[in-house]
Amino acid sequence: IAFTVMGHGGAVAFRALIPSYVRDADACLIVIDVSLRASLEGVNKWLDFVIESRGPDALIFLVGNKADIGEREVGKKEL
């Protein structure tokens, strides 16, 4: 089993690498920051990108990060 984690933190310079990682992936984790509403609002573009690259049967997991820090802007039911 190989597990590769690729995060670009929004940096434009790394966006060119994303298609090669998604194309070869068996599953994708989309991680959002639950303390920032804007993080959740960007999920649809990533879902569309993965589905476009891997097809409608792509295995996708949405993960809420930073749940232990202060105030949440994204509720548990929204995930």
Side-chain angles (χ1 to χ4, degrees), residues 23 34 38 71:
R23 180 177 48 248
V34 298
E71 291 184 32

Side-chain angles (χ1 to χ4, degrees), residues 27-40:
C28 289
L29 298 176
I30 299 174
V31 181
I32 67 159
D33 179 347
V34 298
S35 68
L36 295 172
R37 165 108 359 234
S39 184
L40 178 63

Side-chain angles (χ1 to χ4, degrees), residues 4-79:
T4 302
V5 176
M6 192 284 244
H8 69 84
V12 176
F14 297 108
R15 288 192 183 159
L17 299 173
I18 296 169
S20 63
Y21 282 101
V22 173
R23 180 177 48 248
D24 297 332
D26 293 319
C28 289
L29 298 176
I30 299 174
V31 181
I32 67 159
D33 179 347
V34 298
S35 68
L36 295 172
R37 165 108 359 234
S39 184
L40 178 63
E41 292 168 355
V43 166
N44 283 336
K45 75 173 182 175
W46 290 108
L47 287 172
D48 292 343
F49 181 79
V50 172
I51 291 168
E52 183 178 299
S53 300
R54 297 293 301 154
D57 295 329
L59 187 56
I60 304 169
F61 297 91
L62 180 61
V63 179
N65 191 23
K66 300 184 181 180
D68 59 331
I69 301 175
E71 291 184 32
R72 294 175 69 122
E73 290 186 7
V74 179
K76 293 177 183 178
K77 292 183 180 182
E78 292 177 274
L79 295 175

